């Protein structure tokens, strides 16, 4: 059941910042449950990752180090794209798109390899799973910006929509796992076929050039190719989210659980999307045009922290708190600004403030939650447990 509580209302707390006393016992007993029916995963990505673990990666290499290394690749390609296309609409050298595609492909393979390395070395743990989940959430934000630059969406609503598509799928997958206790990926899913479409698009763009995205679409000539691609992406994401909701509700009915409560669990993400859209629409200085990446990063960090909290609640078998401090602070400030109680002043400063709050809050959670879980489980974050 979803309960709106604050940290002060928790029944039992421990000396940790993020894990309660009751949560410690559940963390120690937690076992991951999931499956992936993707043909791409089972016949290509998984075998490649297993080959890497068996023949390339050292047994002394910590799984979390592989995860960080994979994320570093997409961060690097993102920074390169940022240099050549700061406004997400410039035409970059073609090798930049090829680099982005290769980085994302390697990320996909290494993202699977870290789990296989953990099982091979006997280092599977809730810490590794949560660490992997946090990096995947960041990849959603980073790759959305890189991809928006590739198809030259610019500082427009289309870029926000492109970020929304994978964010929706990721949130709903986490939501489904929280309420059903397992993550069952269908034959076609975002982590596999979705990424395949992305890095294939990167490679295709590096070959034919990015100007193709600005040309009118053959089927819908009123829209450019990049806009049609975004609509296609949003449609696919919506269908997958609907399927996740159906699976979760049916599972809860079989277990005689409250499906309505599960739907309420979607409200934080829905609120984040709506508030972001309203801010962009009512922005006195057209903040999206001035700070497209900063705005997406800000919303992205709030989103990433949101799904991390939900995953942690799942592991600890605790209620998912709908109101978090970081989101609540931004919610209050936004209300004061829109209501005119506090003057807007320089809106750029507001964006930078929100970005700083979101970034620091996410870094705080990653650092302290990782160290807490390492202490609870008696393991090291970046060191393989021997024996």
């Amino acid at each position: 059941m979803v309960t709106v509580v604050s940290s002060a209302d928790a029944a039992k707390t421990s000396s940790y910042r993020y894990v309660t006393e009751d949560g410690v016992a559940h963390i120690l007993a937690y076992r991951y449950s999931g499956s992936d029916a993707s043909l791409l995963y089972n016949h290509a990505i998984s075998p490649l990752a297993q080959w890497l673990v068996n023949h390339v990666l050292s047994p002394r290499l910590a799984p979390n180090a592989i995860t960080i290394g994979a994320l570093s690749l997409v961060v690097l390609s993102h920074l390169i794209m940022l240099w050549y296309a700061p406004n997400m609409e410039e035409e970059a050298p073609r090798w930049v798109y090829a680099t982005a595609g290769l980085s994302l492909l390697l990320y996909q393979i290494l993202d699977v390899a870290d789990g296989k390395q953990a099982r091979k070395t006997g280092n599977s743990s809730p810490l590794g799973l949560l660490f992997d989940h946090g990096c995947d959430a960041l990849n959603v934000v980073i790759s959305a910006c890189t991809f928006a630059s590739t198809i030259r969406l610019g500082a427009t609503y289309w870029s926000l929509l492109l970020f929304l598509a994978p964010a929706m799928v990721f949130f709903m997958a986490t939501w489904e796992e929280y309420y059903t206790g397992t993550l069952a990926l269908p034959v076609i899913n975002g982590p596999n076929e979705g990424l395949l479409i992305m890095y294939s698009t990167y490679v295709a763009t590096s070959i034919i050039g990015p100007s193709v995205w600005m040309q009118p679409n053959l089927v819908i000539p009123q829209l450019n190719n990049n806009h049609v691609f975004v609509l296609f992406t949003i449609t696919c994401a919506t269908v997958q989210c609907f399927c996740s909701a159906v699976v979760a509700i049916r599972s809860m009915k079989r277990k005689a659980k409250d499906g309505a409560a599960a739907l309420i669990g979607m409200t934080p993400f829905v609120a984040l999307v709506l508030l972001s859209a309203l801010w962009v629409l009512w922005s006195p200085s057209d903040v999206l045009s001035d700070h497209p990446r900063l705005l997406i990063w800000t919303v992205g960090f709030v989103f990433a922290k949101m799904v991390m909290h939900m995953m942690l609640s799942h592991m600890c078998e605790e209620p998912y708190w709908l109101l978090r401090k970081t989101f609540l602070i931004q919610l209050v400030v936004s209300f004061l600004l829109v209501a005119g109680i506090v003057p807007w002043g320089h809106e750029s400063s507001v964006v930078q403030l929100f970005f700083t709050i979101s970034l620091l809050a996410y870094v705080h959670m990653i650092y302290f939650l990782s160290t807490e879980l390492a202490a609870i489980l008696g393991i090291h974050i970046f060191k393989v447990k021997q024996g």
Side-chain angles (χ1 to χ4, degrees):
M1 179 179 178
V2 178
T3 308
V4 182
V5 295
S6 65
S7 55
D9 297 325
K12 290 184 178 180
T13 58
S14 63
S15 58
Y16 300 118
R17 288 177 169 85
Y18 289 95
V19 183
T20 65
E21 186 177 305
D22 288 337
V24 171
H26 291 296
I27 286 290
L28 292 171
Y30 179 79
R31 295 294 181 271
Y32 173 73
S33 173
S35 61
D36 193 334
S38 167
L39 296 177
L40 175 65
Y41 171 83
N42 288 294
H43 297 287
I45 302 301
S46 182
L48 274 173
Q50 190 64 60
W51 181 85
L52 276 178
V53 170
N54 292 340
H55 302 287
V56 178
L57 301 179
S58 168
R60 296 183 178 181
L61 183 61
N64 289 335
I66 299 174
T67 308
I68 284 292
L71 183 65
S72 299
L73 292 174
V74 294
V75 170
L76 178 61
S77 65
H78 176 69
L79 293 176
I80 295 173
M81 186 69 76
L82 172 62
W83 176 264
Y84 285 102
N87 297 313
M88 305 170 72
E89 62 184 358
E90 297 87 353
E91 185 169 333
R94 296 194 181 189
W95 64 266
V96 175
Y97 306 116
T99 300
L102 178 60
S103 298
L104 191 60
L105 173 60
L106 291 175
Y107 175 86
Q108 184 181 34
I109 296 172
L110 292 174
D111 190 44
V112 176
D114 58 7
K116 294 182 181 297
Q117 177 82 339
R119 289 185 288 274
K120 177 184 177 181
T121 59
N123 283 265
S124 297
S125 70
L127 169 60
L129 181 60
L130 203 60
F131 200 86
D132 184 82
H133 204 71
C135 287
D136 286 342
L138 281 183
N139 179 55
V140 168
V141 185
I142 296 167
S143 291
C145 288
T146 304
F147 199 83
S149 301
T150 298
I151 62 176
R152 303 178 66 184
L153 289 174
T156 64
Y157 301 109
W158 293 100
S159 294
L160 281 177
L161 284 173
L162 187 67
F163 159 70
L164 177 61
M168 284 168 51
V169 173
F170 195 94
F171 178 85
M172 287 301 294
T174 309
W175 174 87
E176 179 185 342
E177 186 172 5
Y178 175 79
Y179 287 103
T180 65
T182 187
L183 177 61
L185 295 175
V187 174
I188 299 177
N189 58 69
N192 292 293
E193 287 71 22
L195 292 186
L196 170 64
I197 292 174
M198 289 184 69
Y199 52 71
S200 297
T201 302
Y202 284 133
V203 173
T205 303
S206 71
I207 296 173
I208 63 179
S211 60
V212 67
W213 295 109
M214 306 301 293
Q215 297 173 5
N217 184 261
L218 295 177
V219 179
I220 312 176
Q222 297 87 350
L223 297 174
N224 290 341
N225 287 323
N226 53 2
H227 298 156
V228 173
F229 186 92
V230 174
L231 292 178
F232 169 76
T233 304
I234 284 288
T235 301
C236 292
T238 302
V239 171
Q240 187 164 342
C241 289
F242 177 77
C243 292
S244 293
V246 170
V247 169
I249 297 300
R250 286 179 177 175
S251 175
M252 294 188 72
K253 285 184 177 179
R254 288 195 298 268
K255 299 176 182 178
K257 293 184 178 180
D258 187 2
L263 294 176
I264 295 175
M266 299 180 188
T267 54
F269 181 74
V270 174
L272 176 63
V273 172
L274 291 178
L275 287 172
S276 302
L278 289 174
W279 184 9
V280 170
L281 286 171
W282 290 346
S283 170
S285 62
D286 193 9
V287 67
L288 182 60
S289 297
D290 294 335
H291 304 284
R293 290 179 186 272
L294 202 61
L295 189 61
I296 294 176
W297 285 339
T298 300
V299 177
F301 279 125
V302 176
F303 151 77
K305 190 168 183 285
M306 191 179 291
V307 294
M308 285 286 285
H309 274 296
M310 181 172 281
M311 191 65 185
L312 178 62
S313 298
H314 162 62
M315 290 179 170
C316 294
E317 297 186 20
E318 294 177 338
Y320 173 59
W321 303 344
L322 296 181
L323 293 178
R324 314 300 314 191
K325 291 190 289 289
T326 306
F327 190 35
L328 189 59
I329 291 172
Q330 294 174 328
L331 188 64
V332 171
V333 173
S334 298
F335 172 77
L336 294 175
L337 290 169
V338 172
I341 299 174
V342 174
W344 279 94
H346 296 288
E347 194 175 7
S348 294
S349 300
V350 177
V351 180
Q352 293 164 4
L353 172 64
F354 279 10
F355 170 74
T356 303
I357 292 174
S358 302
L359 174 61
L360 292 178
Y362 189 73
V363 171
H364 183 279
M365 181 179 189
I366 291 297
Y367 175 77
F368 284 104
L369 183 55
S370 296
T371 53
E372 287 173 18
L373 291 177
I376 292 169
L377 298 167
I379 59 178
H380 296 280
I381 300 174
F382 295 111
K383 186 177 180 180
V384 173
K385 180 177 64 176
Q386 301 298 327

